Amino acid sequence: MKHLYAILFLCLAVSCTPRAVREAERTLHEADSLRAAGELLQDTVRLQHAADAFSRITHKEELARVYYYLGRNLSIAGRDDNAVDYYIAATRLKPKDNNLQGRLYYNMAYICSQQQKDSLAIITVR
């Protein structure tokens, strides 16, 4: 009987995953489109769901972009320390998109300069 429940749970998890990933991809596409128009997707709940979906199936590039948008939302809300946490998490995923890497490092440097830090912390990505 335990095996039956395990198989049923596995089937449910597999059947839900593609739907969650499609929704996450739509959310990310919308965020990218708004960024291109100079705006920001401020629906952090949808962004969190997208991050959860991408992290389950190891879409590292997409997850890094979602973390970037979550960090931007937190930075705009005045929660810079939390924003930097998302930026660091995104850089640790080692995104191949050089434009994204530049935005991540620029935003971290900007936050440090706004907080009038004497030195900029060097972030080591391993």
Side-chain angles (χ1 to χ4, degrees):
M1 194 65 163
K2 284 183 181 179
H3 298 294
L4 180 61
Y5 287 125
I7 292 171
L8 180 63
F9 179 74
L10 181 62
C11 290
L12 288 173
V14 170
S15 67
C16 293
T17 300
R19 190 162 129 204
V21 171
R22 283 193 304 273
E23 181 61 33
E25 288 170 345
R26 280 193 292 270
T27 299
L28 188 55
H29 179 71
E30 182 181 346
D32 287 339
S33 297
L34 286 172
R35 184 187 62 79
E39 297 178 28
L40 182 66
L41 176 64
Q42 296 184 5
D43 190 348
T44 54
V45 173
R46 281 181 54 204
L47 288 168
Q48 279 289 359
H49 287 297
D52 290 341
F54 287 137
S55 66
R56 285 191 190 120
I57 56 173
T58 64
H59 278 73
K60 290 184 180 183
E61 286 291 320
E62 292 86 351
L63 183 58
R65 288 182 14 225
V66 170
Y67 282 165
Y68 165 76
Y69 290 121
L70 284 167
R72 289 283 297 141
N73 284 343
L74 289 170
S75 182
I76 288 172
R79 297 173 49 199
D80 288 334
D81 292 339
N82 298 74
V84 169
D85 291 340
Y86 276 111
Y87 294 151
I88 291 171
T91 57
R92 287 189 176 143
L93 292 170
K94 300 179 183 177
K96 294 177 181 154
D97 182 359
N98 291 331
N99 190 14
L100 175 61
Q101 285 181 355
R103 290 192 315 257
L104 289 166
Y105 287 121
Y106 172 81
N107 288 350
M108 285 188 279
Y110 180 78
I111 288 171
C112 288
S113 71
Q114 292 297 344
Q115 293 179 354
Q116 299 176 351
K117 300 288 183 185
D118 290 336
S119 63
L120 177 64
I122 297 174
I123 299 167
T124 306
V125 180
R126 295 180 191 234

